[in-house]
Coordinates of all heavy atoms in Angstrom, one line a residue:
M1 N -35.8 -45.8 50.7 CA -35.1 -46.0 49.5 C -34.8 -44.6 48.9 O -35.6 -43.7 48.9 CB -35.9 -46.7 48.5 CG -36.1 -48.2 48.9 SD -37.0 -49.1 47.7 CE -38.4 -49.4 48.6
N2 N -33.5 -44.5 48.4 CA -33.2 -43.2 47.9 C -33.9 -43.0 46.5 O -34.4 -41.9 46.3 CB -31.6 -43.0 47.8 CG -31.0 -42.9 49.1 OD1 -31.6 -42.4 50.0 ND2 -29.8 -43.3 49.3
Y3 N -33.8 -43.9 45.6 CA -34.3 -43.9 44.3 C -35.2 -45.1 44.1 O -34.9 -46.1 44.5 CB -33.2 -43.8 43.2 CG -32.5 -42.5 43.2 CD1 -31.3 -42.4 44.0 CD2 -32.9 -41.4 42.5 CE1 -30.5 -41.3 44.0 CE2 -32.1 -40.2 42.6 CZ -31.0 -40.2 43.3 OH -30.3 -39.0 43.3
V4 N -36.3 -44.8 43.4 CA -37.3 -45.9 43.1 C -37.5 -45.9 41.6 O -37.6 -44.9 41.0 CB -38.6 -45.6 43.8 CG1 -39.6 -46.7 43.4 CG2 -38.3 -45.7 45.3
G5 N -37.7 -47.1 41.1 CA -38.1 -47.3 39.6 C -39.4 -47.9 39.6 O -39.6 -49.0 40.3
V6 N -40.3 -47.4 38.9 CA -41.7 -47.9 38.8 C -42.0 -48.2 37.3 O -41.8 -47.3 36.5 CB -42.7 -46.9 39.4 CG1 -44.1 -47.4 39.2 CG2 -42.4 -46.6 40.8
I7 N -42.4 -49.4 37.0 CA -43.0 -49.8 35.7 C -44.5 -49.7 35.7 O -45.1 -50.5 36.5 CB -42.4 -51.1 35.2 CG1 -40.8 -51.1 35.2 CG2 -43.0 -51.6 34.0 CD1 -40.2 -52.5 35.0
L8 N -45.1 -48.8 35.0 CA -46.5 -48.8 34.9 C -46.9 -49.7 33.7 O -46.6 -49.5 32.6 CB -47.0 -47.4 34.6 CG -46.6 -46.3 35.6 CD1 -46.9 -44.9 35.2 CD2 -47.3 -46.6 36.9
G9 N -47.5 -50.8 34.2 CA -47.9 -51.9 33.2 C -49.1 -51.5 32.4 O -49.5 -50.4 32.3
P10 N -49.6 -52.5 31.6 CA -50.7 -52.3 30.7 C -52.0 -51.8 31.3 O -52.9 -51.4 30.6 CB -50.8 -53.6 30.0 CG -50.1 -54.6 30.8 CD -49.1 -53.9 31.6
S11 N -52.1 -51.9 32.6 CA -53.4 -51.5 33.3 C -53.4 -50.1 33.6 O -54.4 -49.5 34.0 CB -53.5 -52.3 34.6 OG -52.4 -52.0 35.4
V12 N -52.3 -49.3 33.3 CA -52.3 -47.8 33.4 C -52.1 -47.3 32.0 O -51.1 -47.5 31.4 CB -51.2 -47.4 34.4 CG1 -51.3 -45.9 34.6 CG2 -51.3 -48.0 35.7
K13 N -53.1 -46.5 31.5 CA -53.0 -46.0 30.2 C -53.3 -44.5 30.2 O -53.7 -43.9 31.2 CB -54.1 -46.7 29.4 CG -54.0 -48.2 29.3 CD -55.1 -48.9 28.6 CE -54.9 -50.4 28.7 NZ -56.0 -51.1 28.1
Y14 N -53.1 -43.9 29.1 CA -53.4 -42.4 28.8 C -54.2 -42.3 27.6 O -53.9 -42.6 26.5 CB -52.0 -41.7 28.6 CG -52.2 -40.2 28.7 CD1 -52.3 -39.6 29.9 CD2 -52.1 -39.5 27.5 CE1 -52.5 -38.1 29.9 CE2 -52.2 -38.1 27.4 CZ -52.4 -37.4 28.7 OH -52.5 -36.0 28.7
R15 N -55.5 -41.9 27.9 CA -56.5 -41.7 26.8 C -57.2 -40.4 26.9 O -57.6 -40.0 28.0 CB -57.5 -42.9 26.8 CG -56.9 -44.2 26.7 CD -56.3 -44.5 25.3 NE -55.8 -45.8 25.1 CZ -54.6 -46.3 25.4 NH1 -53.7 -45.4 25.8 NH2 -54.3 -47.5 25.2
D16 N -57.3 -39.7 25.8 CA -58.0 -38.4 25.7 C -57.6 -37.4 26.8 O -58.4 -36.8 27.5 CB -59.6 -38.7 25.9 CG -60.1 -39.6 24.8 OD1 -59.6 -39.4 23.6 OD2 -60.9 -40.5 25.1
G17 N -56.3 -37.3 27.0 CA -55.7 -36.4 28.0 C -55.9 -36.7 29.5 O -55.6 -35.9 30.4
K18 N -56.2 -38.0 29.8 CA -56.3 -38.5 31.1 C -55.7 -39.8 31.4 O -55.7 -40.6 30.4 CB -57.8 -38.6 31.5 CG -58.6 -37.3 31.5 CD -60.0 -37.5 32.2 CE -60.9 -38.1 31.2 NZ -62.3 -38.2 31.6
V19 N -55.3 -40.1 32.6 CA -54.7 -41.4 33.0 C -55.9 -42.2 33.3 O -56.8 -41.8 34.0 CB -53.8 -41.3 34.2 CG1 -53.3 -42.6 34.6 CG2 -52.6 -40.4 33.9
V20 N -55.9 -43.4 32.7 CA -57.0 -44.4 32.8 C -56.5 -45.6 33.4 O -55.4 -46.2 33.0 CB -57.7 -44.7 31.4 CG1 -58.8 -45.7 31.6 CG2 -58.2 -43.4 30.8
F21 N -57.2 -46.2 34.4 CA -56.8 -47.4 35.0 C -57.7 -48.5 34.6 O -59.0 -48.5 34.6 CB -56.9 -47.3 36.5 CG -56.0 -46.3 37.1 CD1 -56.5 -45.0 37.3 CD2 -54.7 -46.5 37.3 CE1 -55.6 -43.9 37.8 CE2 -53.8 -45.5 37.8 CZ -54.3 -44.3 38.0
D22 N -57.2 -49.7 34.0 CA -57.9 -50.7 33.3 C -57.6 -52.0 34.1 O -56.7 -52.7 33.8 CB -57.5 -50.8 31.9 CG -58.2 -52.0 31.2 OD1 -59.2 -52.5 31.7 OD2 -57.9 -52.3 30.1
P23 N -58.5 -52.3 35.1 CA -58.2 -53.6 35.9 C -58.2 -54.9 35.0 O -57.6 -55.8 35.4 CB -59.4 -53.6 36.8 CG -59.9 -52.3 36.9 CD -59.6 -51.7 35.6
E24 N -58.9 -54.8 33.9 CA -59.0 -56.0 33.1 C -57.7 -56.4 32.4 O -57.4 -57.5 32.0 CB -60.1 -55.9 32.0 CG -61.5 -55.6 32.6 CD -62.0 -56.7 33.5 OE1 -61.7 -57.9 33.2 OE2 -62.6 -56.4 34.5
A25 N -56.8 -55.4 32.3 CA -55.5 -55.6 31.6 C -54.5 -56.1 32.6 O -53.3 -56.4 32.2 CB -55.0 -54.2 31.0
K26 N -54.9 -56.1 33.8 CA -53.9 -56.6 34.9 C -53.8 -58.1 34.9 O -54.8 -58.8 34.7 CB -54.3 -56.1 36.3 CG -53.3 -56.3 37.3 CD -53.2 -54.9 38.0 CE -52.3 -55.0 39.2 NZ -51.0 -54.6 38.9
K27 N -52.7 -58.6 35.1 CA -52.5 -60.1 35.0 C -53.0 -60.8 36.3 O -53.3 -62.0 36.3 CB -51.0 -60.5 34.9 CG -50.5 -59.9 33.6 CD -50.9 -60.7 32.4 CE -50.3 -60.2 31.2 NZ -51.0 -60.2 30.0
Y28 N -53.1 -60.0 37.4 CA -53.6 -60.5 38.7 C -55.1 -60.6 38.7 O -55.8 -59.6 38.9 CB -53.0 -59.7 39.8 CG -53.2 -60.2 41.2 CD1 -52.9 -61.5 41.6 CD2 -53.9 -59.4 42.2 CE1 -53.1 -62.0 42.8 CE2 -54.2 -59.9 43.4 CZ -53.7 -61.2 43.7 OH -54.0 -61.6 45.0
N29 N -55.6 -61.8 38.5 CA -57.1 -62.0 38.3 C -57.9 -61.7 39.5 O -59.0 -61.2 39.5 CB -57.4 -63.4 37.8 CG -56.9 -63.7 36.5 OD1 -56.7 -62.8 35.7 ND2 -56.6 -64.9 36.2
K30 N -57.3 -61.9 40.7 CA -58.1 -61.7 41.9 C -58.5 -60.1 42.1 O -59.4 -59.8 42.8 CB -57.3 -62.1 43.2 CG -57.4 -63.6 43.3 CD -56.8 -64.1 44.6 CE -56.9 -65.5 44.7 NZ -56.7 -66.0 46.1
M31 N -57.7 -59.3 41.5 CA -58.0 -57.9 41.6 C -59.3 -57.5 40.8 O -59.9 -56.6 41.3 CB -56.8 -57.0 41.0 CG -57.0 -55.5 41.2 SD -55.6 -54.7 40.6 CE -54.6 -54.9 42.1
T32 N -59.6 -58.2 39.8 CA -60.7 -57.9 39.0 C -62.0 -58.6 39.4 O -63.1 -58.3 38.9 CB -60.4 -58.2 37.5 OG1 -60.2 -59.6 37.4 CG2 -59.4 -57.4 36.9
Q33 N -61.9 -59.4 40.4 CA -63.1 -60.2 40.9 C -64.0 -59.3 41.8 O -63.5 -58.3 42.4 CB -62.7 -61.3 41.8 CG -62.0 -62.4 41.0 CD -61.5 -63.5 41.9 OE1 -61.4 -63.4 43.1 NE2 -61.1 -64.6 41.3
N34 N -65.2 -59.6 41.8 CA -66.2 -58.8 42.8 C -65.8 -59.2 44.2 O -65.4 -60.2 44.5 CB -67.6 -59.2 42.5 CG -68.1 -58.6 41.2 OD1 -67.7 -57.7 40.7 ND2 -69.1 -59.2 40.6
R35 N -66.0 -58.2 45.0 CA -65.7 -58.4 46.4 C -67.1 -58.2 47.2 O -67.9 -57.3 46.9 CB -64.7 -57.4 47.0 CG -63.5 -57.3 46.2 CD -62.3 -57.8 46.9 NE -61.1 -57.8 46.1 CZ -60.0 -57.5 46.5 NH1 -59.8 -57.1 47.7 NH2 -58.9 -57.6 45.6
S36 N -67.3 -59.1 48.1 CA -68.5 -59.0 48.9 C -68.4 -58.0 50.1 O -67.3 -58.0 50.8 CB -68.8 -60.3 49.5 OG -69.1 -61.3 48.5
L37 N -69.3 -57.1 50.2 CA -69.3 -56.1 51.3 C -70.1 -56.7 52.4 O -70.8 -57.7 52.4 CB -70.0 -54.8 50.7 CG -69.3 -54.1 49.5 CD1 -70.1 -53.0 49.0 CD2 -67.9 -53.8 49.9
S38 N -70.0 -56.0 53.6 CA -70.6 -56.4 54.8 C -72.2 -56.5 54.6 O -72.8 -57.3 55.3 CB -70.3 -55.5 56.0 OG -70.7 -54.2 55.7
D39 N -72.8 -55.8 53.7 CA -74.2 -55.8 53.6 C -74.6 -56.9 52.5 O -75.8 -56.9 52.2 CB -74.8 -54.4 53.2 CG -74.3 -53.9 51.9 OD1 -73.5 -54.6 51.2 OD2 -74.7 -52.8 51.4
G40 N -73.7 -57.7 52.1 CA -74.0 -58.7 51.1 C -73.9 -58.3 49.7 O -73.9 -59.3 48.8
T41 N -73.8 -57.1 49.4 CA -73.6 -56.6 47.9 C -72.2 -57.0 47.5 O -71.3 -57.1 48.3 CB -74.0 -55.2 47.8 OG1 -73.1 -54.4 48.6 CG2 -75.4 -54.9 48.2
K42 N -72.1 -57.0 46.1 CA -70.8 -57.2 45.5 C -70.4 -56.0 44.8 O -71.2 -55.3 44.1 CB -70.9 -58.4 44.6 CG -71.1 -59.8 45.4 CD -70.8 -60.9 44.5 CE -71.1 -62.2 45.3 NZ -69.8 -62.9 45.6
R43 N -69.1 -55.7 44.8 CA -68.6 -54.5 44.2 C -67.2 -54.8 43.6 O -66.4 -55.5 44.2 CB -68.6 -53.3 45.1 CG -68.1 -52.1 44.5 CD -68.3 -50.9 45.4 NE -67.6 -49.8 44.9 CZ -66.9 -48.9 45.7 NH1 -66.9 -49.0 47.0 NH2 -66.2 -48.0 45.2
K44 N -66.8 -54.1 42.6 CA -65.5 -54.3 42.0 C -64.6 -53.1 42.5 O -65.1 -52.0 42.5 CB -65.5 -54.2 40.4 CG -66.1 -55.5 39.9 CD -65.8 -55.5 38.4 CE -66.4 -56.9 37.8 NZ -65.8 -57.2 36.6
F45 N -63.4 -53.4 43.0 CA -62.5 -52.4 43.5 C -61.2 -52.4 42.7 O -60.2 -51.7 43.1 CB -62.1 -52.8 45.0 CG -63.2 -52.5 45.9 CD1 -64.1 -53.5 46.3 CD2 -63.4 -51.3 46.5 CE1 -65.1 -53.3 47.2 CE2 -64.4 -51.0 47.4 CZ -65.3 -52.0 47.7
G46 N -61.2 -53.0 41.5 CA -60.0 -53.1 40.7 C -59.3 -51.7 40.4 O -58.1 -51.5 40.6
E47 N -60.1 -50.8 40.0 CA -59.6 -49.5 39.6 C -59.0 -48.7 40.8 O -57.9 -48.2 40.8 CB -60.6 -48.6 39.0 CG -60.1 -47.3 38.4 CD -61.2 -46.6 37.6 OE1 -62.0 -47.2 37.0 OE2 -61.0 -45.3 37.5
E48 N -59.7 -48.8 41.9 CA -59.2 -48.1 43.2 C -57.9 -48.8 43.7 O -57.0 -48.1 44.2 CB -60.2 -48.3 44.3 CG -61.4 -47.4 43.9 CD -62.6 -47.6 44.9 OE1 -62.3 -47.6 46.2 OE2 -63.8 -47.7 44.5
L49 N -57.8 -50.2 43.6 CA -56.6 -50.9 44.0 C -55.4 -50.5 43.2 O -54.4 -50.4 43.7 CB -56.9 -52.4 44.0 CG -57.9 -52.9 45.1 CD1 -58.2 -54.4 44.8 CD2 -57.4 -52.7 46.5
I50 N -55.6 -50.4 41.8 CA -54.4 -50.1 41.0 C -54.0 -48.6 41.3 O -52.8 -48.3 41.4 CB -54.9 -50.1 39.5 CG1 -55.2 -51.6 39.1 CG2 -53.8 -49.5 38.6 CD1 -55.7 -51.8 37.8
Q51 N -54.9 -47.7 41.5 CA -54.7 -46.3 41.9 C -53.8 -46.3 43.2 O -52.8 -45.6 43.3 CB -55.8 -45.4 42.0 CG -56.5 -45.1 40.7 CD -57.8 -44.4 40.9 OE1 -58.1 -43.9 42.0 NE2 -58.6 -44.2 39.9
N52 N -54.2 -47.0 44.2 CA -53.5 -47.1 45.5 C -52.1 -47.7 45.2 O -51.1 -47.2 45.8 CB -54.3 -47.9 46.5 CG -53.7 -47.8 47.8 OD1 -53.4 -46.7 48.3 ND2 -53.5 -48.9 48.4
E53 N -52.1 -48.7 44.5 CA -50.7 -49.4 44.2 C -49.8 -48.5 43.6 O -48.6 -48.3 44.0 CB -51.0 -50.6 43.3 CG -49.8 -51.4 42.9 CD -50.4 -52.5 42.0 OE1 -50.4 -52.3 40.8 OE2 -50.7 -53.6 42.5
V54 N -50.2 -47.7 42.6 CA -49.3 -46.8 41.9 C -48.9 -45.7 42.8 O -47.8 -45.2 42.9 CB -50.0 -46.2 40.6 CG1 -49.2 -45.1 40.1 CG2 -50.2 -47.4 39.6
R55 N -49.9 -45.1 43.6 CA -49.6 -44.0 44.5 C -48.5 -44.4 45.6 O -47.6 -43.7 45.9 CB -50.8 -43.6 45.3 CG -50.7 -42.4 46.1 CD -52.0 -42.0 46.8 NE -53.2 -41.9 45.9 CZ -54.2 -42.7 46.0 NH1 -54.2 -43.8 46.8 NH2 -55.2 -42.6 45.2
V56 N -48.7 -45.6 46.1 CA -47.7 -46.1 47.1 C -46.4 -46.2 46.5 O -45.3 -45.8 47.1 CB -48.2 -47.4 47.7 CG1 -47.1 -48.1 48.5 CG2 -49.4 -47.2 48.6
L57 N -46.2 -46.9 45.3 CA -44.9 -47.1 44.7 C -44.2 -45.8 44.3 O -43.0 -45.7 44.5 CB -45.1 -48.0 43.5 CG -45.5 -49.4 43.8 CD1 -45.8 -50.2 42.5 CD2 -44.4 -50.2 44.6
M58 N -45.1 -44.8 43.8 CA -44.4 -43.6 43.4 C -44.1 -42.6 44.5 O -43.4 -41.6 44.2 CB -45.4 -42.9 42.4 CG -45.6 -43.7 41.1 SD -46.7 -42.9 39.9 CE -45.5 -41.9 39.1
T59 N -44.4 -42.9 45.7 CA -44.1 -42.1 46.8 C -43.0 -42.6 47.8 O -42.7 -42.1 48.8 CB -45.3 -41.7 47.7 OG1 -45.9 -43.0 48.2 CG2 -46.4 -40.9 46.9
R60 N -42.3 -43.7 47.3 CA -41.3 -44.3 48.1 C -39.9 -43.7 47.9 O -39.0 -43.9 48.8 CB -41.2 -45.8 47.8 CG -42.5 -46.6 48.3 CD -42.6 -46.4 49.8 NE -43.9 -46.9 50.3 CZ -44.7 -46.1 51.0 NH1 -44.5 -44.9 51.3 NH2 -45.9 -46.7 51.4
G61 N -39.6 -43.1 46.8 CA -38.3 -42.6 46.6 C -38.0 -41.3 47.3 O -38.8 -40.4 47.2
I62 N -36.9 -41.3 48.1 CA -36.6 -40.0 48.8 C -35.9 -39.0 48.0 O -36.2 -37.8 47.9 CB -35.7 -40.4 50.1 CG1 -36.5 -41.2 51.1 CG2 -35.2 -39.1 50.7 CD1 -35.7 -41.8 52.1
E63 N -35.0 -39.5 47.1 CA -34.2 -38.6 46.3 C -34.8 -38.5 44.8 O -34.5 -37.4 44.2 CB -32.7 -39.2 46.1 CG -32.0 -39.2 47.4 CD -31.6 -37.9 47.9 OE1 -31.3 -37.0 47.1 OE2 -31.6 -37.7 49.1
G64 N -35.4 -39.5 44.4 CA -35.9 -39.4 43.0 C -36.8 -40.6 42.6 O -36.9 -41.7 43.4
L65 N -37.3 -40.5 41.4 CA -38.2 -41.6 40.9 C -38.0 -41.7 39.4 O -37.9 -40.8 38.7 CB -39.7 -41.2 41.2 CG -40.8 -41.9 40.4 CD1 -40.9 -43.3 41.1 CD2 -42.1 -41.2 40.6
Y66 N -37.9 -43.0 39.0 CA -37.7 -43.3 37.6 C -39.0 -44.0 37.2 O -39.4 -44.9 37.9 CB -36.5 -44.2 37.3 CG -35.2 -43.5 37.6 CD1 -34.5 -43.6 38.8 CD2 -34.6 -42.7 36.6 CE1 -33.3 -43.0 39.1 CE2 -33.3 -42.1 36.8 CZ -32.8 -42.3 38.2 OH -31.6 -41.6 38.4
I67 N -39.6 -43.6 36.1 CA -40.8 -44.1 35.7 C -40.7 -44.7 34.2 O -40.2 -44.0 33.3 CB -42.0 -43.1 35.6 CG1 -42.2 -42.5 37.0 CG2 -43.3 -43.8 35.2 CD1 -43.2 -41.4 37.1
Y68 N -41.2 -45.9 34.0 CA -41.3 -46.4 32.7 C -42.8 -46.9 32.5 O -43.4 -47.5 33.3 CB -40.4 -47.6 32.4 CG -40.6 -48.2 31.0 CD1 -40.1 -47.7 29.9 CD2 -41.4 -49.3 30.8 CE1 -40.3 -48.1 28.6 CE2 -41.7 -49.8 29.6 CZ -41.1 -49.2 28.5 OH -41.3 -49.7 27.2
A69 N -43.4 -46.4 31.4 CA -44.8 -46.8 31.1 C -44.9 -47.6 29.9 O -44.2 -47.4 28.8 CB -45.6 -45.5 30.8
C70 N -45.5 -48.8 30.0 CA -45.7 -49.7 28.9 C -46.6 -49.1 27.8 O -46.3 -49.4 26.6 CB -46.3 -51.1 29.4 SG -45.1 -51.9 30.5
D71 N -47.6 -48.3 28.2 CA -48.5 -47.7 27.3 C -47.8 -46.6 26.5 O -47.2 -45.6 27.2 CB -49.7 -47.2 28.0 CG -50.7 -46.6 27.0 OD1 -51.2 -47.2 26.2 OD2 -50.9 -45.3 27.2
K72 N -47.6 -46.6 25.3 CA -47.0 -45.7 24.4 C -47.5 -44.2 24.6 O -46.7 -43.3 24.8 CB -47.0 -46.0 23.0 CG -46.0 -45.2 22.2 CD -45.9 -45.7 20.7 CE -45.0 -44.8 19.9 NZ -44.8 -45.3 18.6
E73 N -48.8 -44.1 24.7 CA -49.4 -42.8 24.8 C -49.0 -42.2 26.2 O -48.7 -41.0 26.3 CB -50.9 -42.8 24.7 CG -51.3 -43.1 23.3 CD -52.9 -43.1 23.1 OE1 -53.5 -42.2 23.7 OE2 -53.3 -44.0 22.5
L74 N -49.1 -43.0 27.3 CA -48.7 -42.5 28.6 C -47.2 -42.2 28.7 O -46.8 -41.2 29.2 CB -49.0 -43.6 29.6 CG -48.7 -43.3 31.1 CD1 -49.3 -42.0 31.6 CD2 -49.1 -44.4 32.0
R75 N -46.4 -43.0 28.0 CA -44.9 -42.7 28.0 C -44.6 -41.4 27.3 O -43.9 -40.6 27.8 CB -44.2 -43.9 27.2 CG -42.7 -43.9 27.4 CD -42.1 -45.1 26.9 NE -42.5 -45.6 25.6 CZ -43.1 -46.8 25.3 NH1 -43.4 -47.5 26.3 NH2 -43.5 -47.1 24.1
N76 N -45.3 -41.1 26.2 CA -45.2 -39.8 25.5 C -45.7 -38.7 26.4 O -45.0 -37.6 26.4 CB -45.9 -39.8 24.2 CG -45.1 -40.8 23.2 OD1 -44.0 -41.0 23.3 ND2 -45.9 -41.2 22.2
A77 N -46.8 -38.8 27.0 CA -47.3 -37.8 27.9 C -46.4 -37.5 29.1 O -46.2 -36.3 29.4 CB -48.7 -38.1 28.4
L78 N -45.8 -38.5 29.6 CA -44.8 -38.3 30.7 C -43.5 -37.6 30.3 O -43.0 -36.7 30.9 CB -44.4 -39.6 31.3 CG -45.5 -40.3 32.2 CD1 -45.1 -41.8 32.5 CD2 -45.8 -39.5 33.4
L79 N -43.1 -37.9 29.0 CA -41.9 -37.2 28.4 C -42.2 -35.7 28.2 O -41.5 -34.9 28.5 CB -41.5 -37.9 27.2 CG -40.8 -39.2 27.3 CD1 -40.6 -39.9 26.0 CD2 -39.5 -39.0 27.9
V80 N -43.5 -35.4 27.7 CA -43.8 -34.1 27.5 C -43.9 -33.3 28.8 O -43.5 -32.2 29.0 CB -45.2 -34.0 26.7 CG1 -45.7 -32.6 26.7 CG2 -45.1 -34.5 25.3
A81 N -44.5 -34.0 29.8 CA -44.7 -33.3 31.1 C -43.3 -33.1 31.8 O -43.1 -32.1 32.5 CB -45.5 -34.2 32.0
S82 N -42.4 -33.9 31.5 CA -41.0 -33.8 32.1 C -40.1 -32.7 31.3 O -39.1 -32.4 31.8 CB -40.3 -35.1 32.1 OG -39.9 -35.5 30.8
G83 N -40.6 -32.3 30.2 CA -39.9 -31.3 29.4 C -38.9 -31.9 28.4 O -38.1 -31.2 27.9
R84 N -39.0 -33.2 28.3 CA -37.9 -33.9 27.5 C -38.4 -34.0 26.0 O -37.8 -34.7 25.2 CB -37.6 -35.2 28.0 CG -36.9 -35.0 29.4 CD -36.4 -36.3 29.8 NE -35.8 -36.0 31.2 CZ -34.8 -36.7 31.6 NH1 -34.2 -37.6 31.0 NH2 -34.3 -36.3 32.8
R85 N -39.6 -33.5 25.7 CA -40.1 -33.6 24.4 C -40.8 -32.3 24.0 O -41.4 -31.7 24.6 CB -41.2 -34.7 24.3 CG -40.6 -35.9 23.6 CD -41.6 -36.7 23.1 NE -40.9 -37.9 22.6 CZ -41.5 -38.9 22.0 NH1 -42.8 -38.9 21.7 NH2 -40.8 -39.9 21.5

């Protein structure tokens, strides 16, 4: 794809100068469930899955990338980083 548009939903936020991933804010409930490992223990992978999801989507554009963030603080931080504010 030449250009890609990515909407960063409510699960991706900007707090205290850092990007924060909040699996509980995601609408897809299976992502926040515990997963069973081969040794029988259970672990949550929601944050890692969101990070991977965002990374994959943001690396698909060959010519460019358009980003919209639902979180107002993240949107402002992106504008500052782009030099538009």
Side-chain angles (χ1 to χ4, degrees):
M1 292 182 243
N2 289 335
Y3 292 92
V4 173
V6 175
I7 298 173
L8 299 173
S11 59
V12 184
K13 303 173 182 178
Y14 189 77
R15 301 292 183 267
D16 301 321
K18 293 190 283 189
V19 177
V20 178
F21 300 94
D22 180 12
E24 301 302 320
K26 194 134 175 92
K27 300 287 185 216
Y28 185 56
N29 294 333
K30 288 191 175 190
M31 182 174 282
T32 60
Q33 293 175 345
N34 286 336
R35 307 244 174 145
S36 297
L37 302 176
S38 59
D39 64 359
T41 61
K42 294 192 178 249
R43 183 172 164 218
K44 290 191 176 203
F45 287 94
E47 189 172 330
E48 293 173 45
L49 291 173
I50 294 171
Q51 289 176 9
N52 187 51
E53 181 181 86
V54 170
R55 186 180 311 108
V56 167
L57 292 172
M58 292 180 88
T59 58
R60 292 298 171 237
I62 296 169
E63 298 289 326
L65 169 70
Y66 295 93
I67 302 173
Y68 177 80
C70 292
D71 181 64
K72 188 174 182 175
E73 289 182 47
L74 179 57
R75 191 167 50 243
N76 290 335
L78 290 170
L79 286 170
V80 169
S82 72
R84 297 188 182 211
R85 258 202 185 181

